[in-house]
Amino acid sequence: MNHIDFLEYQASIVDKSRLFLSKDPESSTHQTKKLSFLSSVSEEALVVLLEKSKTLTYPKRVLIVSEGDKANAFFIILSGKVRVFCEDEKSKEVTFNIQGPGSYFGEIALLTDKPRSVSIMTLEKTVCAVISKNDFVNWLMNYPNVAINLLIALSEEIMQLTDKVRQMALSNVYERTVKVLKDLTVDEGNIGVIHNPPSQQVLASMVGASREMISKIMRDLTKGGYVETADNSLIINRRPPSSW
């Protein structure tokens, strides 16, 4: 795994007019609106933010940031998918989340002046809008309403983490697996789809179980007709049973 620091990855910077993968200048701010803490930001504030950003492209299976790194930027995912995780000295990993377009990372370390608390790895080719620490902090100071929205978003993340801890303590492996699959699923008509699903090893690290146990659960769900794989996607044909 290669660690690519955004300040040194100049060859991957594309033209700023493509910042949000569109030639329409208004669509860039529209896409930013998908971010929870930016949902009520004025167009003027968004334009200022975009002017300060750079667009970087990261290949598949590249570390964008590593746990323990000095925080120097805020990242918005424009396309692609990343895995948020940490590992111990024995390389045992825990995956906290998988994030896609419209999500962001890096804000906590910037505000606390602490090293990165997690690592971020691309699961596929990923394009990010990157804002330096100074530009991001100054932007928040100039637009206090954005800072308030960010506090609300961080509070929601804390509530989600609390819920995950509750699941780890009170739910069995099967129940946690079904919950993770549900969170990753996108509704498409009468079925659910997980595009570019995580490997069973990654899924195991998200659930907090062994790969062998996840393999058995997925095999049984497939045999029961609840899920199937097709075109690099996991299809959820119907809701899995509540117990296993």
Side-chain angles (χ1 to χ4, degrees), residues 7 20 37 48 76 85 90 115 125 148 151 172 175 182 190 193 229:
L7 293 175
F20 285 85
F37 80 93
V48 171
I76 299 173
F85 71 100
K90 297 181 180 179
K125 180 181 177 181
I148 294 175
L151 287 175
N172 58 41
E175 292 168 339
K182 179 181 178 182
N190 296 324
V193 181
T229 56

Side-chain angles (χ1 to χ4, degrees), residues 14-25 27-28 55:
V14 299
D15 188 83
K16 187 176 292 292
S17 64
R18 298 175 57 200
L19 182 60
F20 285 85
L21 304 182
S22 173
K23 296 181 180 179
D24 181 359
S27 67
S28 62
T55 304

Side-chain angles (χ1 to χ4, degrees), residues 48-90:
V48 171
L49 178 65
L50 299 185
E51 289 177 346
K52 297 293 185 179
S53 65
K54 294 181 179 179
T55 304
L56 304 183
T57 301
Y58 299 91
K60 181 179 179 179
R61 290 190 58 78
V62 163
L63 279 173
I64 299 179
V65 298
S66 290
E67 182 179 0
D69 279 356
K70 181 179 178 180
N72 53 15
F74 172 69
F75 297 78
I76 299 173
I77 302 174
L78 305 180
S79 66
K81 191 178 294 184
V82 303
R83 179 167 70 98
V84 184
F85 71 100
C86 66
E87 61 181 0
D88 61 15
E89 62 279 1
K90 297 181 180 179

Side-chain angles (χ1 to χ4, degrees), residues 59-201:
K60 181 179 179 179
R61 290 190 58 78
V62 163
L63 279 173
I64 299 179
V65 298
S66 290
E67 182 179 0
D69 279 356
K70 181 179 178 180
N72 53 15
F74 172 69
F75 297 78
I76 299 173
I77 302 174
L78 305 180
S79 66
K81 191 178 294 184
V82 303
R83 179 167 70 98
V84 184
F85 71 100
C86 66
E87 61 181 0
D88 61 15
E89 62 279 1
K90 297 181 180 179
S91 297
K92 184 177 181 180
E93 296 182 353
V94 174
T95 298
F96 297 106
N97 198 8
I98 291 178
Q99 298 181 204
S103 60
Y104 58 90
F105 58 89
E107 76 286 358
I108 296 178
L110 292 185
L111 298 176
T112 61
D113 280 329
K114 299 291 185 180
R116 301 289 189 189
S117 58
V118 296
S119 297
I120 309 289
M121 173 180 279
T122 59
L123 294 176
E124 57 189 63
K125 180 181 177 181
T126 299
V127 180
C128 294
V130 184
I131 299 94
S132 71
K133 176 179 179 178
N134 288 338
D135 286 338
F136 182 68
V137 173
N138 289 336
W139 184 69
L140 289 178
M141 294 176 66
N142 290 331
Y143 297 95
N145 61 311
V146 180
I148 294 175
N149 291 342
L150 179 56
L151 287 175
I152 294 174
L154 292 176
S155 298
E156 292 174 348
E157 289 184 18
I158 292 174
M159 294 176 64
Q160 292 173 3
L161 289 174
T162 301
D163 185 57
K164 288 186 177 181
V165 172
R166 183 185 296 111
Q167 291 176 31
M168 290 293 291
L170 304 178
S171 302
N172 58 41
V173 173
Y174 172 79
E175 292 168 339
R176 298 200 303 271
T177 301
V178 171
K179 178 63 167 59
V180 169
L181 292 176
K182 179 181 178 182
D183 292 342
L184 295 175
T185 298
V186 176
D187 290 331
E188 295 187 0
N190 296 324
I191 62 172
V193 181
I194 302 176
H195 297 288
N196 298 313
S199 67
Q200 290 188 356
Q201 185 61 58

Side-chain angles (χ1 to χ4, degrees), residues 172-176 178-179 217 220-221 226 239-244:
N172 58 41
V173 173
Y174 172 79
E175 292 168 339
R176 298 200 303 271
V178 171
K179 178 63 167 59
I217 291 174
D220 286 352
L221 288 176
Y226 297 100
R239 183 177 179 178
S242 57
S243 61
W244 180 60

Side-chain angles (χ1 to χ4, degrees), residues 4-16:
I4 300 181
D5 186 274
F6 89 95
L7 293 175
E8 299 176 351
Y9 200 31
Q10 299 297 321
S12 297
I13 298 176
V14 299
D15 188 83
K16 187 176 292 292

